[in-house]
Amino acid sequence: MSNSPLSISFFNDSRSVLPPLHPDFHLRDLQNTNWEEEGGDFDPDEFEFSIDPMWQEIENPKFKQGSVVSINLDLDPQSFEVPNLTAKGWCGRVETGITDGDSNFFVISLDSKTIDKLPEKYLKEIVEVADGDNPFLFEIPEEALKAVPPRDTETEALNRQRLAYHSYFWGNIKKDAQAKRMFRILTRDYNDDDLGNWLYHFQHEVKYPIPAEVEGLLMDEIAPGTKVQILGIEGIDSKEKSGLIGSVQKGRAIRSYPLRELMPLDEDDPIQTPLGDYRYWADFSLV
């Protein structure tokens, strides 16, 4: 699974706090549920939904993780683009269940059949609203759900989510050259995550060396502004979540360095375009 919040294969199962879900189904701000434990200043007036009381994972949920459920009530997604849309009949797999002791809610991940039937305007809307989070996760009250047989596999659902996500997040893939490139790269292999598809791109489709400049936002091992040459890609730094690691030449020295710390000298140069595209993705994904 990808460590990138931008990869649809990543459902935040390694996080202690759930991501913000689409606001139409928000009943509270999940992202900040445990803010008191993290310390720091917090202004509850900045958030639309209450975070009190503390919500906990359901110990013995009615719907187990991975089970398939259907929405059996006319829930209103409150879409600006498709105002008459109803969520009744949507199906998805349970990611987790949460409760305040009185009310139970389940976070579901939409299946491929549901996504196939969603209006294009609505798909575009939720992808843009998500701003990098998974737009196919929804928080639903327990009483609005019923168990149903699966209509696809988890892999099929994941692949359909990835296709829909990358179709809209990066821009108009029919008119914007960069959006079209990003779509092609990130959907090359639906069974791989974003970083895996970037790795293939840089190892099989990119020409070297790539002129670059050290930006040094997170690392200061090479002074910001230093001109370097990217000679190739070594792999993915999964432990530190730094993304792709390149072999970078500075003078006579060659060292390993994250591509996210490098900038193209000329984004209009076709040789440097892959670095600019990757940096665009990394700015949203490697956080």
Side-chain angles (χ1 to χ4, degrees):
M1 301 180 78
S2 169
N3 58 18
S4 163
L6 279 184
S7 172
I8 300 302
S9 62
F10 183 70
F11 287 118
N12 298 279
D13 53 356
S14 63
R15 295 184 180 183
S16 58
V17 183
L18 293 171
L21 306 182
H22 189 251
D24 303 332
F25 283 86
H26 258 180
L27 298 182
R28 59 199 159 65
D29 185 0
L30 286 174
Q31 187 180 28
N32 296 282
T33 300
N34 298 320
W35 67 272
E36 291 180 332
E37 299 176 5
E38 299 174 1
D41 297 329
F42 177 80
D43 183 2
D45 293 332
E46 293 181 359
F47 296 90
E48 181 179 354
F49 304 99
S50 172
I51 62 170
D52 189 34
M54 191 71 70
W55 291 72
Q56 303 293 330
E57 186 173 357
I58 301 173
E59 292 186 4
N60 296 299
K62 179 179 179 180
F63 306 109
K64 301 295 184 181
Q65 183 179 20
S67 62
V68 179
V69 293
S70 175
I71 300 175
N72 59 9
L73 298 179
D74 279 316
L75 298 185
D76 181 10
Q78 300 178 358
S79 169
F80 292 105
E81 297 294 332
V82 191
N84 296 324
L85 186 65
T86 176
K88 187 175 183 179
W90 290 9
C91 294
R93 287 175 173 78
V94 173
E95 294 296 318
T96 188
I98 46 181
T99 183
D100 66 347
D102 296 318
S103 301
N104 295 342
F105 295 85
F106 287 85
V107 177
I108 69 170
S109 173
L110 298 185
D111 70 3
S112 62
K113 302 297 184 182
T114 297
I115 298 173
D116 285 341
K117 293 182 178 180
L118 292 178
E120 183 177 348
K121 288 184 178 180
Y122 182 66
L123 280 174
K124 184 175 184 292
E125 178 183 10
I126 63 173
V127 168
E128 291 178 347
V129 168
D131 192 27
D133 292 301
N134 190 331
F136 305 106
L137 293 177
F138 292 88
E139 177 192 5
I140 312 296
E142 181 179 288
E143 58 270 21
L145 295 172
K146 65 177 181 180
V148 295
R151 307 187 300 176
D152 64 359
T153 65
E154 289 188 58
T155 297
E156 289 170 337
L158 173 64
N159 291 348
R160 186 63 183 90
Q161 290 175 5
R162 180 175 288 122
L163 177 63
Y165 182 88
H166 292 307
S167 293
Y168 301 107
F169 186 77
W170 307 107
N172 190 324
I173 61 175
K174 296 180 180 179
K175 298 181 180 180
D176 184 271
Q178 185 181 47
K180 185 176 182 179
R181 291 194 304 269
M182 302 279 282
F183 176 81
R184 182 188 67 81
I185 294 167
L186 294 166
T187 61
R188 181 195 65 83
D189 182 356
Y190 292 129
N191 294 315
D192 208 344
D193 58 23
D194 285 3
L195 272 173
N197 281 321
W198 277 118
L199 180 63
Y200 179 92
H201 179 59
F202 274 92
Q203 288 184 333
H204 296 90
E205 302 176 341
V206 172
K207 295 181 179 180
Y208 297 95
I210 302 174
E213 177 181 323
V214 176
E215 184 173 21
L217 289 176
L218 301 176
M219 299 179 64
D220 57 2
E221 295 180 15
I222 302 178
T226 301
K227 303 296 188 297
V228 297
Q229 296 275 336
I230 304 172
L231 304 181
I233 298 298
E234 299 176 3
I236 298 173
D237 180 17
S238 58
K239 293 184 178 180
E240 299 297 329
K241 299 183 179 181
S242 294
L244 296 183
I245 303 298
S247 293
V248 174
Q249 183 174 16
K250 172 182 174 290
R252 294 184 178 181
I254 298 177
R255 61 190 308 173
S256 303
Y257 214 70
L259 259 60
R260 68 178 301 186
E261 293 291 314
L262 306 174
M263 297 187 300
L265 301 178
D266 180 3
E267 293 187 356
D268 295 326
D269 176 10
I271 297 296
Q272 301 177 54
T273 294
L275 178 59
D277 290 345
Y278 174 78
R279 277 294 308 267
Y280 181 39
W281 172 86
D283 286 344
F284 286 98
S285 306
L286 298 178
V287 295

